[in-house]
Amino acid sequence: MKKSIKNLIRFISFILVICILTTAASFCLKVADRKDIMHIGGFFLEPEDSLDVALIGASELYTGFCSPLAWNHSGFTSYSLCYAGMLATHYKPAVQEVMAHQNPKLYVIEINGFTCDDEYQNDLTKAHTFLDSVPNDKLRKQLIKDTVPQESQAEFHFPIIKYHENWKYIRSFLVCLRNRIYMALFGQTMTKAYANKKNVLKSDKLKKYTPKPGKIADDSLTDLLEFFKDNNVENVLFVRFPHCVDNKNPEVYENIKNKVLSYGYDYKDFESERQNLNLIPTKDFYHYGHLNVFGQEKFTPVFADYIVSNYDVKSEHSEEITESWNKSWEVTQKVLKATETEEPVEKDINFYYEINGYLLNK
Amino acid sequence: MTLISFGFLLLVTITGLIYFLLPEKLKQYQWVVLLVSSLFFYIYTCNKYSFYIFLTIISTYLCGLKLQKLNDQTSLRIKEQKGIWSAEEKKKFKASMQNKKKLVTALALVFNFGILALLKYLGFIFAQADRVLSSIGLDPNLPALKLVLPLGISFYTFQAMGYIIDIYRKKVTAERNIAKLSLFLSFFPQIIQGPIAIYSDLAHQLFETHKFSYDRFKRGGILILWGMFKKLVIADRAVSIVTYIPEHFGKYQGSVFIFAGIVYAIQLYADFSGGVDMCRGVAEIYGITMAENFRRPYFSKTLTEYWHRWHITLGDWLRNYLFYPISLSKPFLKMGKNLKKVNKNFGKVLPTSIASLITFVVIGIWHGSELRYVAFGLWNGLVIMLSSFMQPVDKKIIEKLKINVNKLPYKIFAMARTFIFVLVGYFFDISKSVKSAVYMMYKGVTDFHLADLKPFFKISKESLIPDHSLDLQDILMIFFGAFIIFIISVIQEKKQEPVRDILARKKLPVQWIVYIMLIMGIIICGTYGPGVSPADFVYMQF
């Protein structure tokens, strides 16, 4: 072989090895909220077209709604594609991801992201949490193009640019790596986007809350509604999950509601119905915005009933899927029980979440 | 466009592709490719400030041609008048031509160094004048000038003036093609921070044709990567320590200053040598070998040796064009002769020491217009002066104590002693004033408690360098990086050849493992990414 050809082959092989190692390093060093990695990643492990209901929103979902419990109570499959503090700009991309993998009969949109100001919406860390946990396909590339400022797009296409610094935080990246490996090895999550704890609020006093959505939130909501309309999606329920707050700016919800209704979709505010639902701050909430495990177990059947009575979401699933959901409920019961009674194993985040489902399923 | 940027990588790649893929017939124009890239890089980076480099190119070109003409005329006329002119007439003619040459050379020097001085020091002169006039009750209201220093102005000015002096000395002939001279003065890999090239060393390499060589590509590539490692993994990580501590010296104890000084020694070396390695690596890929600028400076056993190993090309330039002209000038030779009558050693050492002192003061002033830079130059010059005078005493002590200077313990002692002298100079460099430099050194000696360094070596969210995410891991990485440089330096010092040459003789898997470790080290441990503003190369500002 000519020396120059040999050198070229060597050089290309060397570059390939570097690319592989960089990709591996990028995967290993990727650190995000360890719960969110699993909530988002778990969605893509669900069999195609197996979900009856898709829920999209922020942390209210994984603390307020328990999909396996709803399955056991009402018989529909569901999954919350959510992460802590979901940005308004990510609702539509999340719906796009759902559409690419599932064909749900109902979309549930928790409106938290649309109540936040513009400064909040520009948080690139949250953008990483979401976009770095979805499959790296054509759609992801499009979502990056659509939602990330151009000057920051490189760090999404080549995550090592952002994550390389994590070599300093060995424990963090090892925990995230372990969670990813568990998902890769054991497949579907058992608890379907679940994270909660048993802590309670110390007082019944409601927290003063003044939502101040900005232009980004408003535009994103319009964009989402237009998207649903353009794609002929019929069943969309916009919902506000229970919070223990004294809302000083109720017009915000009113505006959202009016906009949603103007597009012909539904709106339901459970925040104002907290007392009717018998959700007590010192028993059912660990934070003014989040139900604890007891509140979640109270609220999930109520919300599941609401869904079933208003939408025809139930469908016949294959034996395999039914079996997997039954198994999921079985494991989730153990996780719920552990959440209610024991201290979390991972003291630094103080939550029970997907990883406990995997561990208890061993 | 900075040296570490996607744009620069693209420029190097595109230039390389065109440079090597030119058809055989056009290979003689390879230098044009380099010229176009160099001018593009300079104009793109400096915009309107590119004007200054063109001033230097044009003035250097014209003066060079004029000097060459005078050289040629002198030779021709003397040849023509051979056997006709008397020795006296020949001498007279030579002297008159020499005067004309001096005038042209002086014109070029004053004009070009004038631009450099004006841009570097006018702001300082205005500020001082304003202060003095205000102190005597006048209200001069002089504007606070903040002139922008064009990229690489010191480096291309030094190169241009070296070229002029070499023509004056008939060491080289003037370049008749202004485009070629432009390339010599603006060659893009070196314009940022040197090395300062001598025309006779670099020019012919730039204008020769070069074929692509895989081995050279590999050698150049490794040098670039090694430079990047030093810059991104070590130097940029240490920036916050060496800037924040001296700026807030009132907040810290003595040992912290010593710590900052040592970190600065690592940071400066990693930054400067890293940048130069990258420039040399790029040039090497194009087949151009650039002068070495560093030779393990911290292994020096005397301060004089240090200055022969640190920023070698600047040292050479100053030696050739400043130190020797001064020390070999008539007044200095006369001074030496007269002093030798009084004391032989004194007569031998004093003239060269004064010349050396002047050279170091110039180095100091070149670094900046502030007094601390003058102090930096004076410190180095005075130490060298004193050590020259003390050499006989030193010799006697060594003989009396029967110390073997070739043994390792003495070498280590001498290196440590030199490093301390170097470190003292660095304090003038990092501090904001002479006063604060002296304060830091004083406290460093009188108030040294290792315990004060504890917070630096603790995993704590409350960093000792506020607003900078500097963790214990970062500090450990700086020292680990320095350790790697140390190991490489020891190997080079022992074998007296570049480690990449040693490595090239090893088996392929060994080579690959080292290269992969180097690249992955940069990718994972480099200081870059969102929220990190790349630090400029320290010597870019000069």
Side-chain angles (χ1 to χ4, degrees):
Chain A
M1 203 189 296
K2 256 179 96 177
K3 203 184 168 191
S4 56
I5 307 264
K6 210 170 153 186
N7 284 337
L8 186 68
I9 293 170
R10 273 184 188 171
F11 180 69
I12 293 170
S13 317
F14 183 76
I15 296 293
L16 275 175
V17 170
I18 293 295
C19 289
I20 292 165
L21 288 174
T22 307
T23 310
S26 186
F27 177 78
C28 293
L29 294 171
K30 209 184 274 183
V31 174
D33 186 306
R34 66 188 83 160
K35 310 186 299 294
D36 291 334
I37 291 173
M38 303 196 87
H39 297 152
I40 301 166
F43 174 81
F44 299 97
L45 296 174
E46 292 297 312
E48 292 228 335
D49 299 334
S50 65
L51 298 176
D52 300 323
V53 178
L55 299 95
I56 289 154
S59 51
E60 285 88 347
L61 290 181
Y62 60 70
T63 58
F65 184 75
C66 177
S67 290
L69 176 55
W71 160 259
N72 181 59
H73 182 78
S74 303
F76 64 84
T77 59
S78 62
Y79 196 102
S80 301
L81 181 52
C82 57
Y83 67 84
M86 184 183 261
L87 304 177
T89 48
H90 285 169
Y91 280 76
K92 188 178 118 183
V95 171
Q96 286 173 285
E97 289 288 357
V98 172
M99 283 180 175
H101 297 90
Q102 300 288 340
N103 186 20
K105 291 178 177 168
L106 170 69
Y107 284 91
V108 174
I109 309 290
E110 209 291 332
I111 62 163
N112 188 67
F114 303 115
T115 64
C116 303
D117 60 21
D118 282 354
E119 199 188 328
Y120 181 89
Q121 311 290 357
N122 289 321
D123 187 346
L124 273 186
T125 310
K126 288 195 168 73
H128 272 291
T129 301
F130 178 61
L131 292 169
D132 293 347
S133 302
V134 304
N136 192 14
D137 54 15
K138 217 172 150 186
L139 179 57
R140 179 176 181 265
K141 288 183 179 73
Q142 188 59 40
L143 298 181
I144 292 169
K145 203 175 156 195
D146 292 346
T147 59
V148 179
Q150 202 177 355
E151 65 275 13
S152 304
Q153 287 181 9
E155 65 187 78
F156 286 83
H157 292 300
F158 305 102
I160 192 77
I161 295 175
K162 177 176 168 61
Y163 293 119
H164 71 98
E165 278 279 293
N166 290 330
W167 66 267
K168 294 192 270 186
Y169 314 112
I170 297 170
R171 187 178 149 69
S172 299
F173 83 71
L174 284 181
V175 168
C176 288
L177 183 62
R178 176 204 64 185
N179 289 2
R180 285 197 183 90
I181 289 171
Y182 262 95
M183 282 205 287
L185 291 180
F186 301 109
Q188 270 173 279
T189 75
M190 291 292 115
T191 49
K192 319 281 179 193
Y194 164 85
N196 220 329
K197 47 179 141 183
K198 64 177 179 180
N199 303 28
V200 290
L201 283 176
K202 284 181 182 152
S203 141
D204 274 328
K205 205 176 165 195
L206 300 180
K207 186 180 164 72
K208 281 180 189 158
Y209 171 59
T210 316
K212 279 183 191 161
K215 191 176 178 310
I216 297 174
D218 193 41
D219 290 349
S220 302
L221 178 60
T222 310
D223 196 27
L224 177 67
L225 289 162
E226 289 285 345
F227 182 76
F228 277 133
K229 211 78 207 156
D230 292 345
N231 285 278
N232 301 317
V233 178
E234 285 178 10
N235 295 329
V236 185
L237 168 63
F238 285 78
V239 60
R240 184 56 170 163
F241 266 34
H243 290 66
C244 23
V245 292
D246 173 13
N247 190 349
K248 296 288 176 195
N249 194 5
E251 300 94 81
V252 170
Y253 292 175
E254 205 53 41
N255 292 341
I256 292 173
K257 180 183 173 182
N258 291 338
K259 199 175 221 176
V260 167
L261 295 179
S262 74
Y263 277 83
Y265 295 121
D266 304 327
Y267 182 88
K268 177 74 182 165
D269 182 7
F270 286 105
E271 188 175 297
S272 56
E273 291 185 20
R274 183 182 50 79
Q275 278 172 315
N276 298 341
L277 297 171
N278 194 26
L279 293 168
I280 303 154
T282 51
K283 281 186 179 167
D284 299 314
F285 288 85
Y286 73 81
H287 173 260
Y288 76 92
H290 299 108
L291 290 161
N292 63 17
V293 64
F294 306 107
Q296 187 175 30
E297 286 176 283
K298 260 190 205 175
F299 178 68
T300 301
V302 175
F303 188 48
D305 286 343
Y306 181 85
I307 288 174
V308 171
S309 57
N310 288 284
Y311 306 93
D312 179 22
V313 292
K314 282 198 220 172
S315 54
E316 282 297 313
H317 291 291
S318 66
E319 208 174 298
E320 204 182 333
I321 288 173
T322 309
E323 207 173 287
S324 89
W325 273 87
N326 288 338
K327 173 78 183 166
S328 169
W329 168 235
E330 196 183 299
V331 174
T332 303
Q333 282 182 87
K334 291 185 200 167
V335 176
L336 288 171
K337 185 87 188 151
T339 315
E340 286 170 13
T341 53
E342 294 164 27
E343 290 304 319
V345 187
E346 290 179 25
K347 296 273 185 291
D348 55 337
I349 65 159
N350 200 23
F351 269 97
Y352 272 89
Y353 65 109
E354 264 69 14
I355 193 67
N356 304 100
Y358 282 120
L359 296 171
L360 288 169
N361 187 34
K362 267 184 179 175
Chain B
M1 195 188 297
T2 60
L3 209 55
I4 300 176
S5 65
F6 183 68
F8 190 79
L9 178 71
L10 205 66
L11 180 69
V12 170
T13 312
I14 292 172
T15 305
L17 285 174
I18 301 172
Y19 187 76
F20 289 117
L21 293 177
L22 274 182
E24 207 56 45
K25 273 184 187 174
L26 296 175
K27 274 269 192 290
Q28 55 178 315
Y29 298 112
Q30 273 183 323
W31 66 271
V32 178
V33 179
L34 294 182
L35 175 67
V36 171
S37 296
S38 299
L39 293 182
F40 168 78
F41 172 74
Y42 202 84
I43 294 167
Y44 181 85
T45 311
C46 292
N47 300 312
K48 59 184 177 185
Y49 301 106
S50 311
F51 164 73
Y52 292 105
I53 197 172
F54 288 112
L55 271 185
T56 298
I57 290 171
I58 293 166
S59 61
T60 307
Y61 176 70
L62 294 175
C63 290
L65 284 187
K66 183 68 192 167
L67 279 172
Q68 189 60 49
K69 201 175 168 188
L70 290 169
N71 282 342
D72 293 345
Q73 275 176 355
T74 312
S75 317
L76 194 73
R77 194 97 171 100
I78 289 172
K79 209 175 167 187
E80 279 172 1
Q81 299 299 325
K82 201 176 178 187
I84 303 169
W85 272 353
S86 63
E88 189 65 28
E89 279 172 319
K90 194 175 156 187
K91 201 177 168 188
K92 205 176 160 191
F93 172 72
K94 263 185 161 179
S96 90
M97 291 306 268
Q98 192 69 10
N99 282 341
K100 283 181 187 170
K101 277 170 63 180
K102 273 183 184 166
L103 187 72
V104 176
T105 308
L107 202 73
L109 294 177
V110 169
F111 180 72
N112 285 289
F113 281 125
I115 296 175
L116 178 63
L118 207 73
L119 292 173
K120 260 190 146 169
Y121 310 115
L122 197 64
F124 173 76
I125 293 167
F126 266 50
Q128 296 308 313
D130 193 80
R131 213 179 60 166
V132 171
L133 293 173
S134 300
S135 68
I136 55 168
L138 295 170
D139 185 19
N141 216 3
L142 294 173
L145 285 181
K146 270 191 180 168
L147 297 173
V148 174
L149 223 52
L151 180 72
I153 185 167
S154 289
F155 298 100
Y156 71 69
T157 305
F158 276 99
Q159 244 176 242
M161 294 308 98
Y163 163 75
I164 288 290
I165 296 169
D166 281 349
I167 300 174
Y168 170 82
R169 290 176 178 171
K170 294 186 188 172
K171 279 188 173 175
V172 297
T173 48
E175 176 57 63
R176 296 192 182 276
N177 186 338
I178 192 168
K180 285 189 172 178
L181 183 69
S182 304
L183 174 60
F184 169 67
L185 294 179
S186 66
F187 183 43
F188 76 97
Q190 66 158 154
I191 192 88
I192 299 171
Q193 52 173 351
I196 300 163
I198 305 286
Y199 185 78
S200 53
D201 289 344
L202 180 65
H204 67 95
Q205 294 192 71
L206 291 172
F207 311 138
E208 277 166 3
T209 58
H210 298 278
K211 277 189 176 171
F212 178 79
S213 150
Y214 181 73
D215 288 338
R216 222 172 37 218
F217 171 74
K218 210 167 91 177
R219 279 174 55 86
I222 298 164
L223 201 54
I224 294 171
L225 290 170
W226 179 232
M228 283 177 83
F229 177 84
K230 287 193 268 187
K231 170 72 177 157
L232 292 176
V233 178
I234 307 167
D236 284 1
R237 182 162 268 118
V239 167
S240 55
I241 296 177
V242 298
T243 51
Y244 191 87
I245 293 173
E247 263 175 35
H248 302 83
F249 63 92
K251 282 167 69 175
Y252 297 99
Q253 308 301 318
S255 43
V256 176
F257 301 136
I258 303 296
F259 174 74
I262 291 169
V263 172
Y264 180 66
I266 297 169
Q267 191 259 348
L268 184 65
Y269 178 64
D271 182 281
F272 195 12
S273 71
V276 170
D277 281 351
M278 289 167 70
C279 301
R280 290 178 62 225
V282 172
E284 191 156 343
I285 290 174
Y286 299 145
I288 294 153
T289 307
M290 300 202 69
E292 206 180 6
N293 217 24
F294 295 93
R295 217 168 25 239
R296 283 84 58 199
Y298 296 140
F299 287 172
S300 308
K301 292 184 278 296
T302 64
L303 199 57
T304 310
E305 190 189 347
Y306 167 80
W307 282 104
H308 281 94
R309 285 166 169 258
W310 176 273
H311 206 343
I312 298 168
T313 55
L314 176 71
D316 284 348
W317 195 98
L318 290 167
R319 206 168 299 117
N320 287 329
Y321 303 118
L322 184 68
F323 174 76
Y324 286 137
I326 296 173
S327 61
L328 298 177
S329 65
K330 277 179 192 163
F332 271 69
L333 289 176
K334 207 174 160 186
M335 186 204 322
K337 221 173 176 182
N338 291 337
L339 285 168
K340 266 183 195 167
K341 289 172 194 165
V342 185
N343 181 304
K344 204 180 167 189
N345 183 46
F346 208 61
K348 200 175 134 191
V349 171
L350 190 67
T352 48
S353 294
I354 293 175
S356 158
L357 187 66
I358 294 170
T359 308
F360 277 107
V361 171
V362 169
I363 290 179
I365 294 170
W366 173 70
H367 276 85
S369 51
E370 292 151 65
L371 212 57
R372 63 194 172 102
Y373 289 121
V374 179
F376 168 81
L378 270 174
W379 165 256
N380 281 283
L382 286 171
V383 170
I384 288 175
M385 194 182 210
L386 204 67
S387 61
S388 302
F389 282 117
M390 295 292 283
Q391 220 165 22
V393 183
D394 194 33
K395 231 175 176 179
K396 271 182 192 167
I397 294 172
I398 287 169
E399 274 169 20
K400 211 164 190 183
L401 295 174
K402 289 177 185 163
I403 297 168
N404 186 345
V405 291
N406 295 317
K407 288 268 167 138
L408 191 66
Y410 180 78
K411 281 182 183 172
I412 292 172
F413 160 76
M415 283 179 208
R417 179 186 59 188
T418 307
F419 184 73
I420 291 169
F421 287 133
V422 171
L423 208 56
V424 171
Y426 283 167
F427 274 102
F428 293 112
D429 221 358
I430 54 173
S431 62
K432 292 289 149 210
S433 66
V434 176
K435 206 175 154 187
S436 64
V438 173
Y439 173 84
M440 286 195 285
M441 283 186 271
Y442 173 74
K443 282 284 175 186
V445 177
T446 58
D447 192 17
F448 187 88
H449 305 289
L450 275 176
D452 294 335
L453 291 176
K454 262 188 188 168
F456 281 99
F457 296 94
K458 232 178 180 180
I459 297 176
S460 159
K461 282 196 173 174
E462 280 171 42
S463 172
L464 265 189
I465 314 288
D467 306 326
H468 294 90
S469 54
L470 199 76
D471 301 300
L472 167 70
Q473 292 90 324
D474 287 305
I475 291 170
L476 294 178
M477 182 51 76
I478 292 167
F479 285 99
F480 177 67
F483 178 69
I484 292 176
I485 295 181
F486 172 75
I487 298 291
I488 301 280
S489 302
V490 169
I491 296 170
Q492 279 181 323
E493 195 72 6
K494 269 195 165 179
K495 307 259 178 186
Q496 287 299 316
E497 71 170 319
V499 169
R500 55 205 168 117
D501 289 351
I502 301 168
L503 198 60
R505 291 196 294 271
K506 302 278 179 207
K507 285 188 175 162
L508 197 67
V510 179
Q511 289 183 39
W512 273 40
I513 288 170
V514 176
Y515 303 153
I516 287 170
M517 279 167 66
L518 182 60
I519 295 174
M520 293 315 289
I522 297 166
I523 291 174
I524 294 172
C525 304
T527 311
Y528 66 94
V532 178
S533 348
D536 280 341
F537 286 94
V538 176
Y539 266 73
M540 253 174 88
Q541 60 179 309
F542 303 128

